[in-house]
């Protein structure tokens, strides 16, 4: 069992920055040797979409809409994955989720392959 907790959302003006955090906790005695973590967002009235991925081997991927503005980093000691979001635009508004895929290190951002999900954190970009 894996629990994920997102934080760091809020309201910001266009051009501003936010750093989202995804804290992972597990009751497993031994951590998963291979895993993937995805960041997804759901804009108001739209379907949820994957925007960034991270694997246990250190690979990262961001989708075209956020490329050059969003970056992923991990703090192993804190068991936290971060999504640094710069140059935010109104279209970045939405609920942001992190998700965990056990036993596979892949940059796949299809929702159906992820086993565990956080509750989400809200981001609002508006002037």
């Amino acid at each position: 069992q894996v629990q994920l907790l997102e934080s760091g959302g809020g309201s910001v003006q266009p051009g501003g920055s936010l750093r989202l955090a995804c804290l992972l906790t597990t009751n497993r005695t031994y951590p998963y040797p291979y895993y993937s973590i995805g960041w997804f967002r759901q804009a108001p009235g739209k379907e949820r979409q994957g925007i960034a991925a991270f694997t246990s081997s250190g690979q990262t991927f961001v989708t075209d809409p956020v490329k050059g503005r969003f970056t992923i980093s991990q703090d192993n000691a804190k068991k936290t994955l971060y999504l640094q979001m710069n140059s935010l635009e109104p279209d970045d508004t939405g609920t942001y989720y992190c998700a965990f895929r056990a036993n596979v290190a892949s940059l796949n951002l299809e929702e159906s392959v992820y086993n565990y999900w956080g509750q989400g954190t809200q981001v609002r970009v508006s002037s």
Side-chain angles (χ1 to χ4, degrees):
Q1 186 74 13
V2 174
Q3 292 81 41
L4 301 103
L5 180 64
E6 303 94 337
S7 62
S11 294
V12 64
Q13 293 186 340
S17 298
L18 286 172
R19 187 177 75 160
L20 305 184
C22 175
L23 172 65
L24 280 74
T25 57
T26 179
N27 56 4
R28 284 173 60 93
T29 302
Y30 298 102
Y32 293 98
Y34 304 104
Y35 61 86
S36 314
I37 302 173
W39 279 102
F40 296 78
R41 73 180 176 192
Q42 186 167 22
K46 296 187 178 180
E47 292 185 353
R48 188 161 57 187
Q49 293 183 325
I51 57 171
F54 176 90
T55 73
S56 50
S57 60
Q59 295 176 294
T60 62
F61 170 77
V62 294
T63 58
D64 285 345
V66 303
K67 190 171 293 182
R69 301 187 297 123
F70 292 12
T71 56
I72 292 180
S73 62
Q74 185 188 41
D75 185 331
N76 268 326
K78 296 182 179 179
K79 301 187 187 303
T80 300
L81 189 74
Y82 298 101
L83 182 68
Q84 178 66 44
M85 307 189 298
N86 299 327
S87 302
L88 283 162
E89 304 168 353
D91 283 349
D92 295 318
T93 294
T95 303
Y96 284 69
Y97 302 87
C98 60
F100 184 89
R101 182 183 185 186
N103 298 317
V104 176
S106 167
L107 298 172
N108 188 342
L109 280 171
E110 293 180 31
E111 286 191 41
S112 60
V113 305
Y114 286 83
N115 311 106
Y116 303 98
W117 290 80
Q119 294 298 307
T121 185
Q122 301 272 354
V123 171
R124 184 170 182 265
V125 184
S126 174
S127 55

